[in-house]
Amino acid sequence: MKNSQFRIYLAGDSTVENVLPEQGNKMGWGQVISEFFTDDVLFMNEAKGGRSSKSFIEEGRLNKILEVIKKGDYLFIQFGHNDQKVDEPHRGTDPYTTYQKYLTQYIVEAREKHAIPVLLTSVNRRTFTEDGKLFNGLGEYPEAMRQLALSFQVPLIDLWEKSKQLYEQLGVEGSKRLFAWYELEDPEIPTDNTHFGRYGSREVAKLVVSGIKELQMPFAKYSIDKS
């Protein structure tokens, strides 16, 4: 491990994870965010595709982080996409009950290690309405996280809102290029409006960086401008 001044652990799903080359050209934002900081900031990406706030814990992935996280480290927590899968008991949660309960576990256990939890609402899917506005495909999960952050006084990066603004700014057609299926330019590839390609992962990482700056986190000063 690098002797960096700041260490940030990432807990999340496929929109965050380090995607293996054999999985195609998909990339999570956690895979590229280190490009936007000096070596003073080290990101440990423990995110895993297909995981929810519940399954990440039940598979022991949170415990793996808690075994090594230290005082002053950060734990970034982004779940929601797979929590929506309520027909799958091992993953699905309810926004205002079990989802908040599992997120609370991340917060409390990180603080017990004297680490700093940070909540991130889930990045949007590319789901436009006919009038060119983004449809909320994530239901009540973003709002449930916002309320929990307020209740526990946890720093929040509203990636849902930031990605909404980004997609609407790019428009129905322009936003396609954020996603992995579009970069392949292959009509045989099924449309995937959830997982990012190289360009999209970097654009979403920039949104996370902007949130870090807005929160005036101590390591924000080590960010590198790659606009």
Side-chain angles (χ1 to χ4, degrees):
M1 181 181 291
K2 294 179 183 177
N3 187 26
S4 301
Q5 186 174 350
F6 294 94
R7 291 178 294 273
I8 294 88
Y9 290 83
L10 307 180
D13 53 32
S14 59
T15 63
V16 187
E17 74 170 336
N18 294 334
V19 184
L20 298 173
E22 54 264 33
Q23 292 179 264
N25 71 325
K26 293 186 290 187
M27 285 188 174
W29 62 258
Q31 194 164 354
V32 298
I33 194 168
S34 61
E35 298 175 15
F36 298 91
F37 288 89
T38 67
D39 288 343
D40 295 277
V41 185
L42 180 62
F43 289 88
M44 271 73 66
N45 193 357
E46 299 295 335
K48 187 68 175 175
R51 272 56 180 185
S52 67
S53 63
K54 177 181 181 179
S55 63
F56 194 90
I57 289 175
E58 294 191 342
E59 291 177 7
R61 296 180 184 276
L62 175 59
N63 280 339
K64 180 183 175 183
I65 295 172
L66 294 171
E67 286 171 1
V68 293
I69 201 167
K70 299 183 184 302
K71 180 179 180 179
D73 291 349
Y74 289 78
L75 176 59
F76 278 31
I77 307 148
Q78 184 205 294
F79 292 102
H81 282 192
N82 298 301
D83 286 81
Q84 287 185 293
K85 299 175 180 178
V86 293
D87 57 333
E88 300 179 21
H90 70 290
R91 292 199 286 186
T93 62
D94 173 79
Y96 293 105
T97 57
T98 47
Y99 179 59
Q100 289 186 331
K101 182 191 80 170
Y102 285 110
L103 290 179
T104 298
Q105 185 172 340
Y106 291 83
I107 295 166
V108 170
E109 295 190 357
R111 285 176 169 172
E112 286 176 351
K113 295 287 185 175
H114 304 287
I116 303 157
V118 179
L119 292 172
L120 295 88
T121 53
S122 290
V123 65
N124 266 289
R125 297 184 178 93
R126 182 183 164 275
T127 50
F128 281 92
T129 61
E130 291 183 0
D131 61 357
K133 298 297 182 182
L134 202 68
F135 169 75
N136 177 17
L138 282 159
E140 292 296 312
Y141 292 90
E143 180 58 26
M145 180 179 278
R146 293 185 196 104
Q147 292 184 17
L148 189 71
L150 187 62
S151 176
F152 278 83
Q153 296 185 319
V154 175
L156 174 79
I157 296 175
D158 198 343
L159 201 51
W160 182 93
E161 181 61 33
K162 288 180 177 294
S163 59
K164 177 179 184 291
Q165 293 175 12
L166 173 64
Y167 296 0
E168 290 183 347
Q169 178 183 357
L170 293 172
V172 176
E173 289 301 315
S175 59
K176 288 180 179 179
R177 61 194 178 108
L178 297 169
F179 296 88
W181 66 273
Y182 184 76
E183 287 187 357
L184 294 175
E185 297 179 354
D186 184 347
E188 300 299 318
I189 299 295
T191 300
D192 178 350
N193 289 313
T194 298
H195 300 101
F196 306 109
R198 173 68 180 177
Y199 171 72
S201 63
R202 285 174 57 82
E203 291 304 301
V204 174
K206 289 179 185 178
L207 300 180
V208 177
V209 174
S210 72
I212 289 168
K213 290 179 178 178
E214 289 162 5
L215 291 169
Q216 299 181 338
M217 292 183 177
F219 59 92
K221 64 183 178 181
Y222 294 110
S223 62
I224 301 170
D225 186 8
K226 290 192 174 185
S227 56

